[in-house]
């Protein structure tokens, strides 16, 4: 037998049917399939936060270590990951600045695990004692806060058959669109109720070139059953972005329950990762393939077909 030969397969060939090709290769051919160049492993965490800061941190720490051991470079946690109050006013009492001990603990976690953390819905101190900011914090693998987004759309809603939420009564809305480059691509930061406002996602994609949309959430059980998956898939399809949606789940207190169902969705709108149990604590893991984003956008170039000049004139 002569010297062995090596056949290099593109990711497209691998995905299209490498298993059939392998059965047809002559003996002595070693196959090397490299898909790592444009691929980064990410995770969407799911948990049931309570009003116990340390217990919540221990859960986040365990899930982060689990994700890091699986090679995850970005793990996304849900809204209110560090605290969900059981009584009115508790969130105001525990609110801190980003250089306070609560967030610095999570910075140390990211540094120790050598992974990026998306921390959605942190109770950040506002300018006055009667309000907080609902802040999505992005920490890099060195433990540095790379950026923050303050939730723009506040959940002031009478949920059918459920209860009335008045987030605006104690939360100061943000006013800035935020993107940040990361190992998993260009990230667009949002929080929960933002999901119902497609304009912010259009802005992130077409004005700020986002590739991955982060939607940390604590959807109610009623609204989650009705709209969670369909809204997430719509945002992915209409922007041709990956969507990572980390969710709170289950009962947090007597008065509050979240839907769960953490999802990762690709730019074609396909669900590529979800937990097998909508109510469990754990992580859903998938690969972000930047070449897939390029392929979807090239084949259906909606960025070139948009007519914002007409949209504005017709408004």
């Amino acid at each position: 037998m002569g010297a062995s030969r090596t056949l290099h397969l593109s990711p497209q060939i691998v995905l299209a049917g490498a298993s059939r090709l392998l059965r047809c290769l002559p003996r002595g051919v070693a196959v090397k399939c490299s898909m790592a160049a444009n691929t980064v492993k990410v995770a969407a965490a799911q948990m049931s936060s309570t009003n116990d800061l340390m217990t919540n941190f221990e859960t986040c720490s365990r899930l982060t270590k689990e994700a890091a051991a699986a090679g995850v470079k970005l793990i996304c946690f849900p809204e209110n990951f560090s605290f969900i109050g059981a009584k009115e006013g508790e969130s105001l009492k525990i609110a801190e600045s980003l250089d306070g001990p609560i967030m610095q603990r999570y910075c140390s976690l990211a540094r120790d695990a050598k992974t990026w953390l998306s921390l959605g819905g942190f109770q950040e101190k506002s300018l006055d004692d009667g309000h907080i900011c609902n802040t999505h914090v992005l920490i890099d693998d060195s433990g540095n806060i790379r950026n923050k987004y303050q939730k723009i759309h506040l959940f002031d809603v009478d949920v059918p058959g459920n209860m009335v939420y008045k987030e605006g009564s104690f939360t100061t809305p943000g006013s800035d669109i935020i993107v940040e480059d990361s190992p998993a691509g260009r990230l667009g930061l949002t929080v929960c109720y933002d999901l119902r406002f497609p304009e912010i996602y259009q802005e992130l994609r077409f004005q700020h070139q986002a590739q991955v949309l982060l939607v940390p959430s604590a959807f109610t059980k009623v609204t989650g059953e009705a709209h969670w998956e369909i809204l997430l898939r719509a945002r992915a399809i209409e922007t041709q972005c990956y969507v990572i949606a980390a969710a709170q789940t289950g009962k947090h207190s007597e008065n509050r329950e979240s839907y769960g169902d953490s999802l990762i969705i690709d730019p074609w709108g396909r669900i590529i990762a979800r937990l097998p149990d909508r109510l469990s604590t754990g992580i859903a893991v998938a690969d972000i393939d930047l070449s897939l984003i390029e392929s979807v956008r090239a084949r259906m170039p909606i960025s070139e077909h948009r007519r914002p000049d007409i949209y504005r004139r017709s408004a």
Side-chain angles (χ1 to χ4, degrees):
M1 182 180 296
S4 64
R5 293 168 286 164
T6 299
L7 177 65
H8 295 272
L9 300 178
S10 70
Q12 290 76 19
I13 293 175
V14 174
L15 293 173
S19 60
R20 293 193 300 272
L21 177 61
L22 291 173
R23 289 195 294 268
C24 300
L25 292 175
R27 293 180 179 179
V29 175
V31 179
K32 294 182 180 179
C33 302
S34 178
M35 297 182 64
N38 287 321
T39 302
V40 178
K41 199 174 293 295
V42 300
Q46 186 163 284
M47 61 190 297
S48 303
S49 296
T50 66
N51 61 349
D52 187 324
L53 285 163
M54 187 51 65
T55 297
N56 297 333
F57 175 74
E58 289 170 354
T59 299
C60 291
S61 179
R62 174 172 59 82
L63 295 178
T64 297
K65 292 173 182 176
E66 179 182 337
V72 168
K73 300 302 181 185
L74 168 68
I75 178 169
C76 302
F77 284 95
E79 184 182 26
N80 300 328
F81 63 98
S82 65
F83 186 87
I84 291 182
K87 299 178 181 178
E88 186 174 343
E90 283 188 333
S91 294
L92 290 171
K93 291 179 181 178
I94 62 92
E96 288 186 358
S97 63
L98 298 189
D99 59 1
I102 297 175
M103 186 53 64
Q104 290 308 302
R105 191 179 295 130
Y106 286 89
C107 288
S108 297
L109 175 61
R111 182 173 58 251
D112 293 344
K114 297 181 174 59
T115 185
W116 285 56
L117 298 182
S118 159
L119 303 172
F122 177 71
Q123 292 89 358
E124 182 186 12
K125 264 189 176 297
S126 187
L127 296 177
D128 66 88
D129 292 337
H131 290 80
I132 61 174
C133 294
N134 189 336
T135 302
H136 183 165
V137 183
L138 189 66
I139 304 175
D140 67 20
D141 54 4
S142 296
N144 300 312
I145 295 176
R146 292 293 290 265
N147 219 325
K148 71 173 187 178
Y149 162 77
Q150 294 175 334
K151 187 179 182 182
I152 291 174
H153 303 98
L154 302 182
F155 194 55
D156 294 339
V157 176
D158 184 354
V159 177
N162 195 270
M163 61 183 296
V164 176
Y165 293 83
K166 294 292 183 185
E167 186 178 18
S169 66
F170 61 91
T171 306
T172 301
S175 57
D176 296 323
I177 303 292
I178 300 296
V179 295
E180 184 64 38
D181 291 320
S182 80
R186 191 164 177 81
L187 308 176
L189 277 61
T190 68
V191 177
C192 199
Y193 190 51
D194 287 331
L195 181 61
R196 294 184 181 273
F197 301 88
E199 299 89 349
I200 187 173
Y201 298 94
Q202 299 284 309
E203 182 84 6
L204 287 165
R205 158 68 163 99
F206 297 111
Q207 302 303 318
H208 298 278
Q209 293 74 53
Q211 297 169 300
V212 180
L213 304 173
L214 307 183
V215 193
S217 298
F219 256 56
T220 71
K221 184 174 184 291
V222 171
T223 58
E225 287 176 343
H227 303 141
W228 173 245
E229 180 181 321
I230 195 169
L231 284 173
L232 289 168
R233 295 182 70 185
R235 296 297 88 87
I237 293 166
E238 67 198 12
T239 62
Q240 300 172 320
C241 289
Y242 280 93
V243 171
I244 305 176
Q248 290 283 350
T249 191
K251 296 280 288 187
H252 309 287
S253 64
E254 287 185 10
N255 301 319
R256 185 159 180 178
E257 182 178 4
S258 294
Y259 179 67
D261 200 20
S262 294
L263 299 173
I264 302 177
I265 302 168
D266 78 7
W268 194 243
R270 295 170 294 206
I271 296 172
I272 57 173
R274 78 192 317 162
L275 269 72
D277 181 356
R278 180 175 61 80
L279 297 177
S280 64
T281 294
I283 56 173
V285 177
D287 288 326
I288 296 291
D289 183 352
L290 299 180
S291 66
L292 176 61
I293 300 174
E294 297 170 4
S295 175
V296 169
R297 294 179 180 181
R299 291 173 180 270
M300 188 176 291
I302 59 175
S303 62
E304 300 173 17
H305 300 157
R306 295 176 73 246
R307 294 298 304 274
D309 53 330
I310 293 179
Y311 309 152
R312 286 192 294 267
R313 192 167 69 237
S314 300

